[in-house]
Every structure is written in structure tokens, then in C-alpha cells.
Amino acid sequence: MTRVSMRVDGVTYTDEVEPRTLLVHHLREALGKVGTVVGCDTSNCGACTVHLDGQAVKSCTVLAVQADGAEVTTIEGIAEPGGALHPVQKAFHEMHGLQCGYCTPGMIMASIDLLKENPDPSDAEVREGIEGNLCRCTGYQNIVRAVQQAAGEMKSSSAGTAAPETTGAQA
Amino acid sequence: MIPAAFEYVRPTTVDEAVQAVAEGGEDVKIMAGGQSLIPVMRLRLAAPETVVDLGRVAEMRGVRDEGDALVIGAMTTHAEVVTDPLIAQHAKLIAEATETVADRQTRRRGTFGGALAHADPAGDLPAVALALDAQMVIAGPSGRRTVPASEFFVDYLTTTLDEGEVLVEIRVPKLAGDWGVRYEKFNRVAQAWSIVAVAAAVRRENGHIAEARIGLTNMGPTPLRASATEAALAGAAASPDAVAQAARSAAEGTSPSSDLNAQADYREHLAQVLTRRAVATAAGL
Amino acid sequence: MTLTEDPATTAVEKEVGKARRRKEDARLITGRTTWTDNMVLPGMLHMSVVRSPVAHGKISSIDVSAAKAAPGVVAVFTGRDIADEQGSIPCAWPVTPDMVNPGHPSLAVDEVNHVGEGVAVIIARSRAAAADAIELVDVDYEPLPPVLDMEEAVKADADLCHDHTQSNTSYHFVFDAGEAGTGTDTEQAFADAEVVVSRRFVNQRLIPAFMEPRSVVVQPQGDNYTMWSATQVPHILRVMLASVTGVPEHKLRVIAPDVGGGFGGKLQVNPEEVIALLVARRLGKPVKWTETRSESLMTAHHGRDQIQYVDIASDREGNVKALRVRLLADMGAYLRLITPGVPALGAFMFPAIYKFPAYRFECDGVFTNKVPTDAYRGAGRPEATFAIERIMDELAVELGMDPLELRRKNWIQAQEFPFTTVAGLEYDSGDYETATQQALELIGYDELREEQRRRRESNDPVQLGIGFSTFTEMCGLAPSRVLGSLSFGAGGWEHAAIRMLPTGKVEVVTGSTPHGQGHETAWSQLVADALGVPFEDVEVLHGDTAIATKGLDTYGSRSLVVGGTAVVKAAEKVIAKARKVAAHLLEANEDDLEFADGRFSVRGTPGASLAIQEIALAVFAAHDYPEGIEPSIDADATFDPVNFSFPHGTHICAMEVDTDTGFVKIRKYACVDDVGTIVNPLIVEGQVHGGLAQGIAQALYEEAVYDADGNLTTGTFVDYLVPSAADLPHFDTGNTVHEAPGNPIGAKGVGEAGCIASTPAVVNAALDAVRHLGVSDIRMPLTPERVWRAIHQGGDGGDRAAAGTNAYGGASTESTTGVSTPASSLGGDR
């Protein structure tokens, strides 16, 4: 067992883990962060996407021990503390960017990462930006709309300053 | 799935890493970004006794300019490679190919050196390293040695890395002169491995192609150079016809495999088409 | 409905037709979800399954001693250990009286019949311990020849999949319109025909690949059991588990919490659900099983997999005369819940929208040593639609006619509805011409044809093709009497209940269990309109047999058509009950009451009115209500449709084909669907999009491939290609609306439309692009290699190599069956 300490959605947790424990299993089973889910074995589906030190990663392809000392943000940590949704969460709702919702946490986390890098993506850029996330329900069109709508809102609300990673920068 | 249990070591220097590998027992695996190794361990295709994680070896990360060459730390992530200004200026082919690797999340963790050491014939970067005549700097118990890319890739998933050795950095000679580059990748869905891909760097001089370097991805157990095409292009007119003519020999000397996505003869055909396209684009045609 | 005379009241905007944002989203976008795998119970044990690495063999020995001794392992059970309790996975659809059902043990006892079949289970204190011990179970198999190819399997001297059966044929199902009295003699029609076109189509094996892997948790409480399962069918599961395991139905509660997609793939009684229940009963402890993706691809039921021999007859002018279809339908190794019924359901859809005078359908259900097939989005109808829409194009080519003109010449005209087809179905409503015109405009047809001409003339390496699919489907499954006539083991009704709470809030209980379709939102819209209460005041309850006590769940585009109608009928009963109370409290005659916008008012007496939400409080208090009635306005309803509903539409695909590489790329996709009344346009559009993605994926990307030993080569998402956003086009969608006469909502069903219609449109488009190069068929999926071979070597592109890609060092099934493999020699990673 190895001692690991990480800050997840603003709270620091210290635990003993087996080195083989995947970050996603640590989040779900030790920390109760069940909003992040597992969809495959091969790093293809992206359902488990979280932010590790501000960057989107597939938490099924990171060991918990590798996240020692890191800052992890999950789908449960992106809304404002008061409950106001992140613009990307809002846009997924508004544009019907989800059906069963299983891919949604990963899809939202990947989309936020994309928008940080490219605040005004074209249709094709959104599609490429979320190529690592599979959805079986939506055919993606409304997800693409949602990401573009969120981009618009984030641009108008941040007015030139980059929105901080974990806050929702509401208009 | 969950990997089988293993011992975990996290060195912070190359020396520590080499030592950890030496002490890791019979079946030790070196983990770079983990983006292939962890899935393989989850599927229990690999069940190492010890995993040596290079993630905290700071000296293995980053890109530096050494005059006639760039030196890329093996632990430099794909995402860093894609945005690195030195690579953009002196080794654009690497950036272009790296952009096509997997997906955004995987590129955040996966590393340049890990991809080379993994030596997956369908991986994009070995053929690029080969085309650019990269030099692999390897650390081991008896010190460092440098191996050219042409000798580094030995077989399917196998390199010249000996037991106990770690790939530390990659020296990439800068391209001098008027070079154009192109990585032409062919796959069925966006995040998939290459069925076939072609890495081309072409130097033009006075309306002619002075020199072409062409690396082939997934045309055999190791990355290959399209030597016959390179020879045919040297001094050829920079015209679509000449390029097409030269590209017809792109599959010479290759031994591609057959799988779900392509049988060997189709791969040979693809190598020709993609070489034509890659060279034409690199030559600005 | 007339408006109330009270001038203060204005008409409330109708909910039906509004693009309401979904109520479901709040929890799904914040991660506050209840997936089955989230469930943790005190003392909960974890189950893993030891699976067969061979496709066909006798189990000669199993040694579980090392596994039993492993750290954290509590118990190990083999098939032999539970042989007396496990019964057989039920098959609810014996399509013929003499259908052969070999029986389907949840854990193999003597013989394994497909790779991935369970042979033992490990019960351990942690997920990791259960996974680790798999490798410690030592099973010896005596291999038998695997039966993998249907056309070989039906030959006289074929190896047998099950040695206690006479052949590999489970059943021979026939529908002959001449014999049924719905058409003329098919053989005669072919004998007399001027033109006959015959084709063999392969409708490949697919994997539903819902995003949430299957998961089940069973909690024993005395002799009661609660099961949480990632299922589409908690009600059916409960009945079936009771009959299989002997746990009495009233002692079993099944809960489907948040369920991450199904597409038919979770319309099943899974072996692991049966075993988890048996183990929980034996050990008296809660048990959880959650599959890995590799397990899911390898062992959850597959779909499609038909070889279709199709003959079409017409005269020289293109008037169709007869259709003859013979199918080989792959059952896989066993018959699961509705395995045999899927092709039989499709039997009625092959004639599609065309006025065939004669039709004959024959199907052989064939056993192979592969995982069983069963329902996958469309279930029988996509296969039929593919065959008919492909053969119509082939006939058009034979006749030298425009494919759309041929269709137009033969389809049912708008004024001919209701129309009884040669298959005996009565199509309810529609207008194929109008939908087609709209779709042509949406895609910009004339410009695309012009561009196609230019590319042909210039011999462009990238050719353009345009493909059509003018489809219909039978939805709203299903009239119970029809199901009875088809020997289906259950009815097709649906149940709903409405509970009027004292505060005026409304609970709607539905037996139709959603897993992504948005029932909570759409049902709220229905009830808001019916009862005149605010949308926000309605809560929809579902998916728990202790709460939604009756139901037949969600599949076959039935929820709104059947389940939604039950909700509307229940609301009518609530109003009828409330009317009596209102009359009493308003001291008026019932006949003088009008009900509008949620209020009863007395005709001609302004101001005298009472809201139905106030009546709910009044009957809760029950201080003052009429004699002779119960103090409740709650009601329930069970709706059994008398006919199917028949959505239809025109789908058009424009496809670019790179003739140098064989790579195909959808340039444009447009469709106009008629799904009857649209309750929520946002949800309807989303259903169409998702269906299109899956239908296109069948055409271009997905195929479950087995190698010569019966290993599933496409055992991970590396090789089973579910397309990403970057691989799919933008869709231009539209609607026409012809209300379904068979239900008060007027809805026809939308869940499967896109999936059924799109596949042939895509293939027809690719063929249209390269037909002038001598190509007349390309097998699905249209891999670049197949397209390239068809163009340059003739034929249909042929078989694919069966080896998986070398990604991750070859991540095929062998690695995921729990059999230890030599450690690979990987040096690093990507």
C-alpha cells in the first residue's frame, strides 16, 4: 500500500492505496465520487475523463498513485459552490446534449478542456476536440451545439480574462 | 478491469530510474505516460512485478536547442510536443504527426519517448523518428549510449533497449534548407491507430526535389523508410507526375500484416497512394 | 374543449409540442446519478465470472481449489454447483410450434458453446480479489469443432453446435401472403414476371454497445430479494427471474435505477442476473457484479446477423409484382429472451411502403458457436428495410430507371390510407411524396446531382453518390392479440397510474422504464396538458417494481405510443373522478361542469370554479365528498393498442468515395420523418440523431468479427468501432406530421426510425458513387479496403482478415476471458 494525498473538487483526501488502483476506482470507491464513471478497458470511451492539474485525462488510464499531490476536478466539482452550473453543464441541458447521460461527465470535462485551448471552436474543431469521448445516444450533433453555445457564453462573460478552472463564470 | 498487483517505484532522476529498473526484479516494466501500458495491464496482457514510473523524472522532460539538433526529453508529453515552439520551428513533422496521436486526453499523458520505446508498428512517431534520422540516447547501468533510429527498432514491440536500459532523450537533427513536411495518416475512425501512415520531409531546390525522407507506419513489424521512393525522388522534378512515378515503389521491401482493417496487399497499395499524397503536399504541389 | 367563461382565466399554452428542456438532466450533468455500479451495501460481496476461452468444447474438469484459497475469496461456484437451481435462461418467443430450444444454462455445466460463456463465478470481498482469482481457476476443455458459418451450418453433414439436436436449425418460419389470404401466389408471380432481380445481402453481426456496462446488485432480506440492475426491463426481468429461479414473484423487487442506454441490449434476462440472485440466496449477503467492457462486447447479446436472399419481380415499366425473401438468421449458441422472434418480427416489414401483390418470407433460425443474438435497435425492421431498399435500387438499375421514380411508382399514395399490405398489416397514415419532396429540398438534391455529373465527367478520384431510403416501420409494440397470434409469451399493453397528492402535486407512475429517452419530461408534458397542472408540478416515477407495480418496459418504440397513452387514459379517469367531487363541492350538476386548464367551472355561473389540485386536497381531507364514492381521485389505466403505428420517412445520403483508397465520407445527410404528433421536438430530434448515428455505424464502421476458432476479434473498442463525433456528419432533419389514429396522442414512435432508415441510404449512396465503375454491391461495414476491392477487383469487397489490430499488442478476446496470458514484452507506451 502506498499513501497518496490529493485534492479532489476542493477537498484534500489522504488514503492508503494499492499501486494498481486506477484513479477512477479510487475516486469512485474510496472517495465516493461516483459521478465519474467507467465505460471501457482500453482508454477509448472517455467516460472517466477528469481534470488532473487542470488538464483533461482519462482517469481509467492513470494510477491513483500517479495523482499523488495533484489537484483533481471531477464533474461534481465544476459548478459554483452555490450550485450555479458551469456554462458547459448549462449548455448540455439547454441544447439537449445528453440522453442516457452516461458519457456526459466525461464529455463535459473534455469539452471544458477543449474550450480552454480553443475558446471559439468551429463545428469540425469541436468534433475533433471530443474525438476521445464516445456517446451512443445523441449522434453528437447536440453535443457540438452545446459546446459552441457554451463557448459563446463563456466568451461574453469572461470578457477577455480566462475563466478559472473550477468556477462557472456565470453571466 | 483491474491490473494485477505490482510493486511501484517512482524515481526522480535518471540515475535513480536506472537503479530502480536494475532492482525491480525479473519482470520490470518502465512506465512513461502509461497510455498504452495501463490498458495492457488492465487487460492483463502484461502483469509486471514492478512498475518504474518515470513521471517525476524532471530532467527527462522538455525540449532544448543544441545547435544543429533539438533534444527532446523522452518524458515530454504529446501535448507539449504539439505546442513546443522549437519543435514547430525545427521539426514540424513531429508536431504534425503527434497531433494525430489518439485523442486530447491521451496526448496529455502519453509521451514522445514512451511512444518510441513501445515500438508499436501502428504508432505514429517511430516512422517520424526514422524519417528524421533521430538519435536515441539511452541510459543503462554501464552509462549512456546513443543509437540511431534506424537501429533502434528491432521487431514488433521490440527495440534495441536492453534489460535495465531507459530511453532518456531523443536528438533530432534540424532540417537545414527549404524543407516541407507532411504526415499522411489513414485510419477508419478518428482516435484509431494508423492503418498505414506516411511521414514525409522534402527539400526543394530550384524547382527540383533535392532530397526526400519518407517513413512508413505500420508497413511491417518496425517502421520503415521508403528507400526506393526516396532514391527515385532525389533530383526529380517537383511535379505531380514525377512524384506519382516515384511513389509507385513506396511499398518495396515492406512486409505489412493483415488484420481487420487491411490485408497486406491493400496496405501496400495504401503506402503508394499515401506516399504520393504526403510527398506532393510536402513539396508544395 | 371550450374555454371557461371566467374572463380572468386565459388559455394556458399547451405543453405538447413544446421543446421542454429535460427534467432528467439535472442529475446527469452534475454527476449526482444512481448507476447500479454506484451502489454499495454493508457486507457486499463482488462477483466475477470465469469465462470459456474456447468456442465449443466439453468441460472435462474444473479445479477451483486455488481460487477458493486465494486472499479475499469467499466462495467459488461452478455450473455443476448450481445446476439444480439455475434452470434455463428463458426464451419468450417460440416462433413455431416445433422450434428447437437447446436450453441455456446461466453457467455451463458440461459443455461450452461460445467464447465468453461463464463456467464458474468467484465471490470475493473486493472487486480486485474477484478479478485476481479468475486466473486461478483451472478448466480443461475437450475441444469440439466450432460451428461459425451459417451457410455451412445448414448443410446436411455439418458439425453440430448442440449434439443433442438433429441439426443446427432451430426453426423454419414461413409467412406466405397467398396462404394468409393477403396476396396472390408468389411462385406464380415470379414465373410470370418480365423482370426478376435476385441478390444475397449480408446484414452483419452488431453489438449494441450501450455506454453503461451491465451491472447488478442483489440484496437478500430474509426470503425477500431486491435486485438493482442496469436493465431496460425490470418488470419482465422480475417475472422471468421468478420463473427461472423459483424465488416467488412477490418476494422479488427489481429496480432499474439510472440506466445508461440499452438499445435492446438490456432487453434481456442475463445469466449474471440469475447467478447473482442464486449466490445472494446461498450466501445471504449482498452481491454485486459489474462487467468490464471486454466482457460486455463478448457476452452481452449481439444483434442483426442475417444472410438475406432476396428476389424481386416486376414488369418492364417498373410495377413491382412480387417479393420473395429467404433468411438465414444467426441465433448464436442459445435462444435468449426474444432471439428467435427478431427475424420473425421483421418478416412483416420487407414489403415496406410498396404495393406488392405477392410476398413470401421464409426464415431459418440457425445455431452457431457465437454469443446469442437478440434485440438491437429496430430488431428485425432494420434488416428488412435494408433488404428492400437495397433491392429497389438494384431493380431500378436493371430497369434503367431513376431509383426514386421506381419507388414513387410503387409506393402507397397518401389517399390510400389506411392501407392493408401484402404482409397483412394495416398502415395507419402518412404521405410519402411530401416527406420525399421536403427531404430533397433539405439536402439540395439538384445541386448534388449536378456535382456528381461533373465529377464523373472529369474522372475525379473522389466520386459522389446519392442514396435513398423511403422507409416505414411498425412501432408501438404491441397489440396483445397480435403478439398472441405470433406465439409471443406476453402481451403488449402498458400501465400507468396517477396519484394526486394533497398539495396538488402529481405523481405519475409509468410501467415503461426509460434509460435515456426522457420519459420524465415527456410524460410531464402529457399530464400537464391533460390535467391542466403546471409542468413542474408533475413527477414521473418508474423503474421499480415496488413503485411502478405493473409494466412491460421500454423497447420497440412503444413508450409514448402505448405507455404515454396509458398515462393519458389514467388522467381521463382522474378527471372523471374529480368531476363528481367538483359537482358536489360546487353544488352543481356534473353535466353543467366544464373542465379546462385544470379547473372545473359551472357553465353560466362566472366565478364558480375549483381547480383539480384543490380537489386533491379536498379528497385528502375527505371531510366533504359525495355519498357512494371513495375519497380519492387517483386512477390507473392499462392501454392495449389495437394496431401498430407506422412512422415513415425519406432519408437521403450524399457520399464521397475516394476511389484511390476506398475511403468513404458522408458529405450530407438529410431526412424527413413522420412520427405522428410530436410531444417534444427536442427529444424527437435527439432520438432521430442517435438512431442515425447507429444506422450509419452499421453501414460504415461496426461489425462483430469472429476468427476461425470462434474468438471475438472485435473484443474491445479498439476493434469494435463505435464512431466518435469526428466520424459522423451533421444531420439535416425535418418532419411531416400525420397523426396516428390508433392512440389519443397521435404519436407513432421515434426511437428506432433513424437506425432503421439510414443504413440502406448510406450503402445506396456509396454504390451510386461507384456504380459506373462496375460495382453493384459492397458488404457492410463499408471498410475502405472493401470499397477499394469492389472498385478495383470486382465483387462485394469480400471477407475481412479476422485478425484484430495490433494495438496494445493485440487486445482481442483471449486476454479478457480470464485466462492468464504470457506477459508481453512491451518496453514503454504511447
Side-chain angles (χ1 to χ4, degrees), chain A residues 20 41-42 89 99 136 141, chain C residues 22 132 294 702 731 808:
Chain A
R20 62 161 156 174
D41 316 317
T42 46
Q89 287 174 306
Q99 290 178 30
R136 194 59 160 164
Q141 188 152 317
Chain C
R22 297 198 321 167
D132 289 347
S294 324
E702 298 182 22
F731 310 121
Y808 296 139

Side-chain angles (χ1 to χ4, degrees), chain A residues 20 25 28-29 34-35 37-45 75-76 85 89 92-94 96 98-102 104-105 108 123 127-128 130-131 134-142 145, chain C residues 21-22 25 28-29 31 35 37-38 127 132 207-209 211-213 260-261 263 292-294 376 515-516 682 685-687 689-690 693-694 702 717-718 722-725 728-731 808:
Chain A
R20 62 161 156 174
H25 287 142
R28 286 178 58 79
E29 291 166 15
V34 293
V37 297
V38 185
C40 76
D41 316 317
T42 46
S43 211
N44 288 90
C45 82
I75 187 70
E76 298 172 56
L85 295 174
Q89 287 174 306
F92 269 65
H93 174 59
E94 200 54 41
H96 190 33
L98 65 152
Q99 290 178 30
C100 85
Y102 198 76
T104 308
I108 288 176
D123 182 287
R127 287 176 183 272
E128 229 173 82
I130 56 170
E131 68 187 340
L134 299 178
C135 168
R136 194 59 160 164
C137 293
T138 64
Y140 301 104
Q141 188 152 317
N142 289 344
R145 284 181 185 159
Chain C
R21 272 44 177 180
R22 297 198 321 167
D25 294 354
L28 299 169
I29 57 177
W35 314 113
D37 188 59
N38 295 3
R127 193 196 295 266
D132 289 347
I207 306 182
M211 289 313 299
E212 181 207 15
F263 316 109
T292 66
R293 176 58 60 184
S294 324
Y376 171 52
H515 39 283
L682 207 60
E685 190 193 33
Q687 286 290 324
H689 288 172
Q694 288 181 19
E702 298 182 22
F717 278 157
V718 173
V722 172
S724 76
L728 289 170
H730 178 88
F731 310 121
Y808 296 139

Side-chain angles (χ1 to χ4, degrees), chain B residues 17-18 21-22 30 138-145 147 152 159-168, chain C residues 827:
Chain B
V18 170
V21 174
I30 300 168
I138 295 166
S142 48
R144 294 204 177 197
R145 65 187 178 112
V147 176
F152 184 72
T159 66
T160 186
L161 282 170
D162 278 335
E163 237 173 73
E165 287 188 323
V166 178
L167 175 62
V168 177

Side-chain angles (χ1 to χ4, degrees), chain C residues 745-769:
Chain C
I745 302 167
K748 294 181 174 175
V750 68
E752 296 157 301
C755 192
I756 291 171
S758 55
T759 312
V762 173
V763 176
N764 282 338
L767 288 169
D768 186 55

Side-chain angles (χ1 to χ4, degrees), chain C residues 182 348 412 416-429 432 473-474 642-646 741-742:
Chain C
T182 52
F348 302 93
I412 299 157
E416 292 178 296
F417 289 98
F419 183 92
T420 301
T421 74
V422 72
L425 296 174
E426 190 192 281
Y427 288 3
D428 50 3
S429 66
Y432 306 140
E473 53 165 331
M474 56 202 281
V642 294
N643 189 12
F644 299 96
S645 51
F646 297 89

